[in-house]
Amino acid sequence: LSIAAAVLYAALAYGETHNVTNVAPFGIVSLQLAGKPLMSQLIIEKWRALADGTFWVSFGLYTDYAFMTVYSILLALFALRLGRKLATRDAANMRIAVFVAWLASATLPLDAVENFAHLMMLASPMTEGALMAATEKWTDIAFTCALAKFACLGAFTMFAAVSGVMLLATKPTRATDVA
């Protein structure tokens, strides 16, 4: 899974270099966090005007379906592994880890719906009215899913950081505690 995640991430990172513009300085993240239909429309119009059109954006969104599956599983497994290590000190740590693993798992459907919303905007007809109608409909869905996904990822990051500090700060007191 780790190798798959690395390969998919590299593909996404390469494709993303083609998505950075003056209206989308952070590539697809600019669209994820646009929040307003007009901003989504401006970003998509700019991408459509590129020589490659929206190829790299679409490539990234479709590739992300594989990546989101892999990363959500890896994060959930990592949370559970940390929980097992910390449960030897306090059983409540495992309950927290299970909750964080569920949050990591929740990133999958959130990311999937977000990508679907972006693909619907990209697939809208080239006329301004059709694009505006699509962005009106899908921007709020994409934005809400993106915020929820990033909140779940932020909670996971905090859990991993605090768990790491706890594991580093706690030294084994007996030789049997080392294993």
mmCIF file of all heavy atoms in Angstrom, residues 31-41 44 48 65 110 112-125 130-146:
data_model
loop_
_atom_site.group_PDB
_atom_site.id
_atom_site.type_symbol
_atom_site.label_atom_id
_atom_site.label_comp_id
_atom_site.label_asym_id
_atom_site.label_seq_id
_atom_site.Cartn_x
_atom_site.Cartn_y
_atom_site.Cartn_z
ATOM 1 N N LEU A 31 -9.471 25.170 -6.416
ATOM 2 C CA LEU A 31 -10.859 24.847 -6.757
ATOM 3 C C LEU A 31 -11.577 24.221 -5.564
ATOM 4 O O LEU A 31 -12.736 24.529 -5.297
ATOM 5 C CB LEU A 31 -10.917 23.905 -7.964
ATOM 6 C CG LEU A 31 -12.311 23.553 -8.477
ATOM 7 C CD1 LEU A 31 -13.067 24.808 -8.931
ATOM 8 C CD2 LEU A 31 -12.221 22.538 -9.618
ATOM 9 N N GLN A 32 -10.881 23.351 -4.828
ATOM 10 C CA GLN A 32 -11.490 22.716 -3.660
ATOM 11 C C GLN A 32 -11.979 23.756 -2.661
ATOM 12 O O GLN A 32 -13.031 23.589 -2.052
ATOM 13 C CB GLN A 32 -10.477 21.797 -2.962
ATOM 14 C CG GLN A 32 -10.121 20.563 -3.735
ATOM 15 C CD GLN A 32 -8.978 19.797 -3.089
ATOM 16 O OE1 GLN A 32 -8.196 20.329 -2.310
ATOM 17 N NE2 GLN A 32 -8.876 18.527 -3.430
ATOM 18 N N LEU A 33 -11.199 24.799 -2.484
ATOM 19 C CA LEU A 33 -11.518 25.812 -1.472
ATOM 20 C C LEU A 33 -12.071 27.102 -2.065
ATOM 21 O O LEU A 33 -12.111 28.130 -1.386
ATOM 22 C CB LEU A 33 -10.272 26.093 -0.620
ATOM 23 C CG LEU A 33 -9.698 24.882 0.123
ATOM 24 C CD1 LEU A 33 -8.442 25.254 0.890
ATOM 25 C CD2 LEU A 33 -10.739 24.273 1.059
ATOM 26 N N ALA A 34 -12.508 27.049 -3.330
ATOM 27 C CA ALA A 34 -13.046 28.255 -3.977
ATOM 28 C C ALA A 34 -14.214 28.815 -3.172
ATOM 29 O O ALA A 34 -14.281 30.018 -2.919
ATOM 30 C CB ALA A 34 -13.460 27.955 -5.413
ATOM 31 N N GLY A 35 -15.142 27.966 -2.792
ATOM 32 C CA GLY A 35 -16.243 28.387 -1.928
ATOM 33 C C GLY A 35 -17.338 29.194 -2.604
ATOM 34 O O GLY A 35 -18.458 29.227 -2.130
ATOM 35 N N LYS A 36 -17.031 29.862 -3.682
ATOM 36 C CA LYS A 36 -18.011 30.697 -4.392
ATOM 37 C C LYS A 36 -18.100 30.229 -5.844
ATOM 38 O O LYS A 36 -17.075 29.992 -6.485
ATOM 39 C CB LYS A 36 -17.595 32.165 -4.378
ATOM 40 C CG LYS A 36 -17.404 32.753 -2.998
ATOM 41 C CD LYS A 36 -18.723 33.177 -2.431
ATOM 42 C CE LYS A 36 -18.506 33.887 -1.110
ATOM 43 N NZ LYS A 36 -19.399 33.472 -0.093
ATOM 44 N N PRO A 37 -19.313 30.122 -6.370
ATOM 45 C CA PRO A 37 -19.468 29.675 -7.760
ATOM 46 C C PRO A 37 -18.683 30.514 -8.772
ATOM 47 O O PRO A 37 -18.102 29.970 -9.705
ATOM 48 C CB PRO A 37 -20.973 29.788 -8.007
ATOM 49 C CG PRO A 37 -21.580 29.651 -6.649
ATOM 50 C CD PRO A 37 -20.601 30.308 -5.706
ATOM 51 N N LEU A 38 -18.640 31.819 -8.574
ATOM 52 C CA LEU A 38 -17.923 32.674 -9.516
ATOM 53 C C LEU A 38 -16.432 32.340 -9.535
ATOM 54 O O LEU A 38 -15.811 32.304 -10.597
ATOM 55 C CB LEU A 38 -18.140 34.151 -9.191
ATOM 56 C CG LEU A 38 -17.493 35.137 -10.165
ATOM 57 C CD1 LEU A 38 -18.005 34.909 -11.587
ATOM 58 C CD2 LEU A 38 -17.759 36.562 -9.725
ATOM 59 N N MET A 39 -15.860 32.080 -8.368
ATOM 60 C CA MET A 39 -14.442 31.722 -8.314
ATOM 61 C C MET A 39 -14.199 30.381 -8.991
ATOM 62 O O MET A 39 -13.231 30.222 -9.738
ATOM 63 C CB MET A 39 -13.959 31.687 -6.855
ATOM 64 C CG MET A 39 -12.469 31.605 -6.727
ATOM 65 S SD MET A 39 -11.718 33.093 -7.416
ATOM 66 C CE MET A 39 -10.101 32.468 -7.787
ATOM 67 N N SER A 40 -15.078 29.408 -8.747
ATOM 68 C CA SER A 40 -14.959 28.110 -9.423
ATOM 69 C C SER A 40 -15.028 28.289 -10.928
ATOM 70 O O SER A 40 -14.253 27.678 -11.675
ATOM 71 C CB SER A 40 -16.078 27.164 -8.975
ATOM 72 O OG SER A 40 -15.953 26.849 -7.620
ATOM 73 N N GLN A 41 -15.935 29.136 -11.381
ATOM 74 C CA GLN A 41 -16.090 29.391 -12.809
ATOM 75 C C GLN A 41 -14.823 30.001 -13.392
ATOM 76 O O GLN A 41 -14.353 29.574 -14.457
ATOM 77 C CB GLN A 41 -17.281 30.313 -13.054
ATOM 78 C CG GLN A 41 -17.536 30.582 -14.523
ATOM 79 C CD GLN A 41 -18.745 31.472 -14.759
ATOM 80 O OE1 GLN A 41 -19.421 31.879 -13.836
ATOM 81 N NE2 GLN A 41 -18.999 31.780 -16.015
ATOM 82 N N ILE A 44 -12.069 27.280 -13.670
ATOM 83 C CA ILE A 44 -12.332 26.316 -14.745
ATOM 84 C C ILE A 44 -12.159 26.976 -16.114
ATOM 85 O O ILE A 44 -11.577 26.379 -17.034
ATOM 86 C CB ILE A 44 -13.724 25.693 -14.577
ATOM 87 C CG1 ILE A 44 -13.717 24.791 -13.331
ATOM 88 C CG2 ILE A 44 -14.123 24.894 -15.814
ATOM 89 C CD1 ILE A 44 -15.078 24.309 -12.893
ATOM 90 N N ARG A 48 -9.600 25.715 -18.948
ATOM 91 C CA ARG A 48 -10.074 25.379 -20.297
ATOM 92 C C ARG A 48 -9.298 26.140 -21.361
ATOM 93 O O ARG A 48 -9.151 25.666 -22.491
ATOM 94 C CB ARG A 48 -11.566 25.675 -20.434
ATOM 95 C CG ARG A 48 -12.439 24.650 -19.750
ATOM 96 C CD ARG A 48 -13.903 24.975 -19.901
ATOM 97 N NE ARG A 48 -14.733 23.902 -19.366
ATOM 98 C CZ ARG A 48 -16.042 23.963 -19.242
ATOM 99 N NH1 ARG A 48 -16.696 25.051 -19.633
ATOM 100 N NH2 ARG A 48 -16.705 22.945 -18.734
ATOM 101 N N TYR A 65 -8.970 9.112 -7.195
ATOM 102 C CA TYR A 65 -9.865 8.062 -6.703
ATOM 103 C C TYR A 65 -9.062 6.864 -6.196
ATOM 104 O O TYR A 65 -9.386 6.283 -5.155
ATOM 105 C CB TYR A 65 -10.877 7.632 -7.766
ATOM 106 C CG TYR A 65 -12.062 8.562 -7.854
ATOM 107 C CD1 TYR A 65 -12.179 9.475 -8.879
ATOM 108 C CD2 TYR A 65 -13.059 8.530 -6.886
ATOM 109 C CE1 TYR A 65 -13.257 10.343 -8.950
ATOM 110 C CE2 TYR A 65 -14.145 9.387 -6.945
ATOM 111 C CZ TYR A 65 -14.238 10.295 -7.981
ATOM 112 O OH TYR A 65 -15.310 11.156 -8.033
ATOM 113 N N LEU A 110 -15.785 11.500 1.479
ATOM 114 C CA LEU A 110 -15.765 12.964 1.342
ATOM 115 C C LEU A 110 -14.965 13.377 0.112
ATOM 116 O O LEU A 110 -15.406 14.214 -0.682
ATOM 117 C CB LEU A 110 -15.176 13.608 2.605
ATOM 118 C CG LEU A 110 -16.044 13.528 3.855
ATOM 119 C CD1 LEU A 110 -15.241 13.917 5.088
ATOM 120 C CD2 LEU A 110 -17.280 14.406 3.702
ATOM 121 N N ALA A 112 -14.284 11.486 -2.462
ATOM 122 C CA ALA A 112 -14.949 10.961 -3.664
ATOM 123 C C ALA A 112 -16.076 11.888 -4.117
ATOM 124 O O ALA A 112 -16.194 12.192 -5.318
ATOM 125 C CB ALA A 112 -15.484 9.555 -3.394
ATOM 126 N N VAL A 113 -16.897 12.336 -3.187
ATOM 127 C CA VAL A 113 -17.994 13.248 -3.543
ATOM 128 C C VAL A 113 -17.438 14.584 -4.026
ATOM 129 O O VAL A 113 -17.923 15.166 -5.005
ATOM 130 C CB VAL A 113 -18.967 13.439 -2.354
ATOM 131 C CG1 VAL A 113 -19.982 14.536 -2.633
ATOM 132 C CG2 VAL A 113 -19.663 12.121 -2.032
ATOM 133 N N GLU A 114 -16.408 15.057 -3.363
ATOM 134 C CA GLU A 114 -15.763 16.315 -3.773
ATOM 135 C C GLU A 114 -15.255 16.204 -5.215
ATOM 136 O O GLU A 114 -15.498 17.092 -6.040
ATOM 137 C CB GLU A 114 -14.617 16.619 -2.816
ATOM 138 C CG GLU A 114 -13.765 17.801 -3.204
ATOM 139 C CD GLU A 114 -12.445 17.795 -2.455
ATOM 140 O OE1 GLU A 114 -12.370 17.309 -1.308
ATOM 141 O OE2 GLU A 114 -11.475 18.290 -3.041
ATOM 142 N N ASN A 115 -14.554 15.119 -5.532
ATOM 143 C CA ASN A 115 -14.050 14.927 -6.895
ATOM 144 C C ASN A 115 -15.191 14.830 -7.905
ATOM 145 O O ASN A 115 -15.096 15.362 -9.010
ATOM 146 C CB ASN A 115 -13.180 13.673 -6.979
ATOM 147 C CG ASN A 115 -11.783 13.906 -6.449
ATOM 148 O OD1 ASN A 115 -11.486 14.948 -5.888
ATOM 149 N ND2 ASN A 115 -10.930 12.927 -6.615
ATOM 150 N N PHE A 116 -16.255 14.121 -7.539
ATOM 151 C CA PHE A 116 -17.414 14.013 -8.430
ATOM 152 C C PHE A 116 -17.973 15.403 -8.732
ATOM 153 O O PHE A 116 -18.297 15.718 -9.892
ATOM 154 C CB PHE A 116 -18.488 13.119 -7.810
ATOM 155 C CG PHE A 116 -19.690 12.948 -8.678
ATOM 156 C CD1 PHE A 116 -19.665 12.076 -9.752
ATOM 157 C CD2 PHE A 116 -20.847 13.680 -8.441
ATOM 158 C CE1 PHE A 116 -20.779 11.922 -10.573
ATOM 159 C CE2 PHE A 116 -21.955 13.539 -9.251
ATOM 160 C CZ PHE A 116 -21.931 12.656 -10.323
ATOM 161 N N ALA A 117 -18.075 16.244 -7.714
ATOM 162 C CA ALA A 117 -18.574 17.613 -7.922
ATOM 163 C C ALA A 117 -17.662 18.380 -8.875
ATOM 164 O O ALA A 117 -18.142 19.092 -9.777
ATOM 165 C CB ALA A 117 -18.692 18.332 -6.582
ATOM 166 N N HIS A 118 -16.353 18.219 -8.704
ATOM 167 C CA HIS A 118 -15.421 18.913 -9.605
ATOM 168 C C HIS A 118 -15.544 18.377 -11.035
ATOM 169 O O HIS A 118 -15.511 19.156 -11.998
ATOM 170 C CB HIS A 118 -13.983 18.750 -9.114
ATOM 171 C CG HIS A 118 -13.715 19.485 -7.850
ATOM 172 N ND1 HIS A 118 -12.942 18.979 -6.846
ATOM 173 C CD2 HIS A 118 -14.127 20.690 -7.407
ATOM 174 C CE1 HIS A 118 -12.890 19.833 -5.853
ATOM 175 N NE2 HIS A 118 -13.615 20.879 -6.167
ATOM 176 N N LEU A 119 -15.698 17.075 -11.168
ATOM 177 C CA LEU A 119 -15.849 16.496 -12.509
ATOM 178 C C LEU A 119 -17.142 16.969 -13.178
ATOM 179 O O LEU A 119 -17.167 17.198 -14.391
ATOM 180 C CB LEU A 119 -15.805 14.968 -12.431
ATOM 181 C CG LEU A 119 -14.416 14.387 -12.144
ATOM 182 C CD1 LEU A 119 -14.526 12.915 -11.761
ATOM 183 C CD2 LEU A 119 -13.486 14.585 -13.332
ATOM 184 N N MET A 120 -18.192 17.141 -12.397
ATOM 185 C CA MET A 120 -19.449 17.653 -12.959
ATOM 186 C C MET A 120 -19.273 19.088 -13.453
ATOM 187 O O MET A 120 -19.814 19.466 -14.498
ATOM 188 C CB MET A 120 -20.578 17.593 -11.925
ATOM 189 C CG MET A 120 -21.039 16.190 -11.583
ATOM 190 S SD MET A 120 -21.746 15.311 -12.988
ATOM 191 C CE MET A 120 -20.374 14.321 -13.531
ATOM 192 N N MET A 121 -18.511 19.881 -12.714
ATOM 193 C CA MET A 121 -18.249 21.247 -13.169
ATOM 194 C C MET A 121 -17.414 21.234 -14.448
ATOM 195 O O MET A 121 -17.703 21.971 -15.392
ATOM 196 C CB MET A 121 -17.545 22.055 -12.080
ATOM 197 C CG MET A 121 -18.440 22.433 -10.920
ATOM 198 S SD MET A 121 -17.642 23.573 -9.770
ATOM 199 C CE MET A 121 -16.922 22.438 -8.595
ATOM 200 N N LEU A 122 -16.389 20.389 -14.482
ATOM 201 C CA LEU A 122 -15.525 20.314 -15.665
ATOM 202 C C LEU A 122 -16.275 19.793 -16.887
ATOM 203 O O LEU A 122 -15.972 20.172 -18.010
ATOM 204 C CB LEU A 122 -14.321 19.412 -15.391
ATOM 205 C CG LEU A 122 -13.270 19.957 -14.442
ATOM 206 C CD1 LEU A 122 -12.247 18.884 -14.119
ATOM 207 C CD2 LEU A 122 -12.592 21.189 -15.028
ATOM 208 N N ALA A 123 -17.249 18.913 -16.671
ATOM 209 C CA ALA A 123 -17.993 18.305 -17.778
ATOM 210 C C ALA A 123 -19.100 19.192 -18.309
ATOM 211 O O ALA A 123 -19.727 18.855 -19.316
ATOM 212 C CB ALA A 123 -18.581 16.960 -17.324
ATOM 213 N N SER A 124 -19.345 20.308 -17.659
ATOM 214 C CA SER A 124 -20.427 21.179 -18.124
ATOM 215 C C SER A 124 -20.093 21.711 -19.526
ATOM 216 O O SER A 124 -18.920 21.850 -19.878
ATOM 217 C CB SER A 124 -20.639 22.336 -17.147
ATOM 218 O OG SER A 124 -19.520 23.196 -17.172
ATOM 219 N N PRO A 125 -21.122 22.006 -20.319
ATOM 220 C CA PRO A 125 -20.873 22.534 -21.671
ATOM 221 C C PRO A 125 -20.033 23.809 -21.615
ATOM 222 O O PRO A 125 -19.960 24.479 -20.581
ATOM 223 C CB PRO A 125 -22.282 22.817 -22.198
ATOM 224 C CG PRO A 125 -23.154 21.882 -21.435
ATOM 225 C CD PRO A 125 -22.527 21.783 -20.063
ATOM 226 N N ALA A 130 -24.014 27.567 -19.000
ATOM 227 C CA ALA A 130 -23.984 26.181 -18.528
ATOM 228 C C ALA A 130 -22.938 26.001 -17.435
ATOM 229 O O ALA A 130 -23.175 25.308 -16.443
ATOM 230 C CB ALA A 130 -23.706 25.233 -19.687
ATOM 231 N N LEU A 131 -21.782 26.637 -17.610
ATOM 232 C CA LEU A 131 -20.739 26.540 -16.591
ATOM 233 C C LEU A 131 -21.201 27.208 -15.303
ATOM 234 O O LEU A 131 -20.995 26.671 -14.205
ATOM 235 C CB LEU A 131 -19.427 27.162 -17.075
ATOM 236 C CG LEU A 131 -18.281 27.165 -16.068
ATOM 237 C CD1 LEU A 131 -17.962 25.746 -15.588
ATOM 238 C CD2 LEU A 131 -17.038 27.803 -16.675
ATOM 239 N N MET A 132 -21.860 28.352 -15.405
ATOM 240 C CA MET A 132 -22.353 29.035 -14.219
ATOM 241 C C MET A 132 -23.385 28.178 -13.499
ATOM 242 O O MET A 132 -23.366 28.066 -12.271
ATOM 243 C CB MET A 132 -22.937 30.406 -14.559
ATOM 244 C CG MET A 132 -23.429 31.168 -13.327
ATOM 245 S SD MET A 132 -22.249 31.231 -11.945
ATOM 246 C CE MET A 132 -21.390 32.722 -12.290
ATOM 247 N N ALA A 133 -24.275 27.548 -14.246
ATOM 248 C CA ALA A 133 -25.281 26.675 -13.629
ATOM 249 C C ALA A 133 -24.613 25.505 -12.915
ATOM 250 O O ALA A 133 -25.009 25.134 -11.801
ATOM 251 C CB ALA A 133 -26.258 26.164 -14.689
ATOM 252 N N ALA A 134 -23.582 24.929 -13.531
ATOM 253 C CA ALA A 134 -22.875 23.801 -12.918
ATOM 254 C C ALA A 134 -22.134 24.240 -11.656
ATOM 255 O O ALA A 134 -22.169 23.553 -10.633
ATOM 256 C CB ALA A 134 -21.905 23.180 -13.912
ATOM 257 N N THR A 135 -21.471 25.387 -11.726
ATOM 258 C CA THR A 135 -20.727 25.844 -10.546
ATOM 259 C C THR A 135 -21.675 26.246 -9.425
ATOM 260 O O THR A 135 -21.368 26.039 -8.258
ATOM 261 C CB THR A 135 -19.756 26.998 -10.882
ATOM 262 O OG1 THR A 135 -20.475 28.072 -11.479
ATOM 263 C CG2 THR A 135 -18.641 26.530 -11.794
ATOM 264 N N GLU A 136 -22.825 26.807 -9.779
ATOM 265 C CA GLU A 136 -23.829 27.150 -8.756
ATOM 266 C C GLU A 136 -24.259 25.892 -8.003
ATOM 267 O O GLU A 136 -24.442 25.896 -6.796
ATOM 268 C CB GLU A 136 -25.063 27.794 -9.400
ATOM 269 C CG GLU A 136 -24.838 29.151 -10.003
ATOM 270 C CD GLU A 136 -25.005 30.284 -9.005
ATOM 271 O OE1 GLU A 136 -25.600 30.066 -7.941
ATOM 272 O OE2 GLU A 136 -24.540 31.385 -9.312
ATOM 273 N N LYS A 137 -24.428 24.812 -8.741
ATOM 274 C CA LYS A 137 -24.930 23.572 -8.162
ATOM 275 C C LYS A 137 -23.866 22.816 -7.371
ATOM 276 O O LYS A 137 -24.144 22.278 -6.299
ATOM 277 C CB LYS A 137 -25.462 22.685 -9.288
ATOM 278 C CG LYS A 137 -26.024 21.364 -8.832
ATOM 279 C CD LYS A 137 -26.589 20.599 -10.017
ATOM 280 C CE LYS A 137 -27.196 19.290 -9.582
ATOM 281 N NZ LYS A 137 -27.769 18.556 -10.708
ATOM 282 N N TRP A 138 -22.641 22.760 -7.883
ATOM 283 C CA TRP A 138 -21.636 21.844 -7.330
ATOM 284 C C TRP A 138 -20.581 22.489 -6.420
ATOM 285 O O TRP A 138 -19.913 21.779 -5.666
ATOM 286 C CB TRP A 138 -20.932 21.112 -8.473
ATOM 287 C CG TRP A 138 -21.856 20.195 -9.206
ATOM 288 C CD1 TRP A 138 -22.397 20.379 -10.448
ATOM 289 C CD2 TRP A 138 -22.372 18.946 -8.737
ATOM 290 N NE1 TRP A 138 -23.213 19.329 -10.778
ATOM 291 C CE2 TRP A 138 -23.218 18.428 -9.745
ATOM 292 C CE3 TRP A 138 -22.205 18.213 -7.561
ATOM 293 C CZ2 TRP A 138 -23.879 17.215 -9.618
ATOM 294 C CZ3 TRP A 138 -22.867 17.003 -7.432
ATOM 295 C CH2 TRP A 138 -23.692 16.527 -8.458
ATOM 296 N N THR A 139 -20.402 23.807 -6.468
ATOM 297 C CA THR A 139 -19.354 24.439 -5.663
ATOM 298 C C THR A 139 -19.564 24.218 -4.173
ATOM 299 O O THR A 139 -18.622 23.876 -3.455
ATOM 300 C CB THR A 139 -19.239 25.947 -5.978
ATOM 301 O OG1 THR A 139 -18.838 26.093 -7.336
ATOM 302 C CG2 THR A 139 -18.219 26.625 -5.081
ATOM 303 N N ASP A 140 -20.783 24.421 -3.685
ATOM 304 C CA ASP A 140 -21.040 24.247 -2.249
ATOM 305 C C ASP A 140 -20.796 22.814 -1.795
ATOM 306 O O ASP A 140 -20.262 22.580 -0.710
ATOM 307 C CB ASP A 140 -22.472 24.654 -1.893
ATOM 308 C CG ASP A 140 -22.673 26.155 -1.910
ATOM 309 O OD1 ASP A 140 -21.664 26.890 -1.842
ATOM 310 O OD2 ASP A 140 -23.831 26.595 -1.999
ATOM 311 N N ILE A 141 -21.180 21.860 -2.628
ATOM 312 C CA ILE A 141 -20.963 20.453 -2.282
ATOM 313 C C ILE A 141 -19.471 20.161 -2.199
ATOM 314 O O ILE A 141 -18.990 19.564 -1.219
ATOM 315 C CB ILE A 141 -21.654 19.535 -3.313
ATOM 316 C CG1 ILE A 141 -23.170 19.701 -3.215
ATOM 317 C CG2 ILE A 141 -21.241 18.075 -3.121
ATOM 318 C CD1 ILE A 141 -23.943 19.062 -4.349
ATOM 319 N N ALA A 142 -18.717 20.598 -3.217
ATOM 320 C CA ALA A 142 -17.272 20.362 -3.228
ATOM 321 C C ALA A 142 -16.596 21.053 -2.041
ATOM 322 O O ALA A 142 -15.748 20.463 -1.369
ATOM 323 C CB ALA A 142 -16.672 20.853 -4.541
ATOM 324 N N PHE A 143 -16.985 22.289 -1.782
ATOM 325 C CA PHE A 143 -16.379 23.066 -0.697
ATOM 326 C C PHE A 143 -16.662 22.429 0.663
ATOM 327 O O PHE A 143 -15.756 22.280 1.494
ATOM 328 C CB PHE A 143 -16.913 24.500 -0.740
ATOM 329 C CG PHE A 143 -16.330 25.411 0.296
ATOM 330 C CD1 PHE A 143 -14.997 25.776 0.261
ATOM 331 C CD2 PHE A 143 -17.129 25.915 1.316
ATOM 332 C CE1 PHE A 143 -14.456 26.629 1.220
ATOM 333 C CE2 PHE A 143 -16.606 26.772 2.275
ATOM 334 C CZ PHE A 143 -15.265 27.125 2.220
ATOM 335 N N THR A 144 -17.898 22.018 0.897
ATOM 336 C CA THR A 144 -18.270 21.394 2.166
ATOM 337 C C THR A 144 -17.511 20.087 2.372
ATOM 338 O O THR A 144 -16.978 19.824 3.463
ATOM 339 C CB THR A 144 -19.788 21.150 2.225
ATOM 340 O OG1 THR A 144 -20.455 22.398 2.059
ATOM 341 C CG2 THR A 144 -20.205 20.511 3.539
ATOM 342 N N CYS A 145 -17.443 19.278 1.330
ATOM 343 C CA CYS A 145 -16.701 18.008 1.435
ATOM 344 C C CYS A 145 -15.215 18.256 1.658
ATOM 345 O O CYS A 145 -14.576 17.551 2.445
ATOM 346 C CB CYS A 145 -16.915 17.161 0.186
ATOM 347 S SG CYS A 145 -18.562 16.442 0.084
ATOM 348 N N ALA A 146 -14.663 19.252 0.975
ATOM 349 C CA ALA A 146 -13.240 19.560 1.143
ATOM 350 C C ALA A 146 -12.950 20.001 2.580
ATOM 351 O O ALA A 146 -11.974 19.547 3.192
ATOM 352 C CB ALA A 146 -12.802 20.641 0.162
#
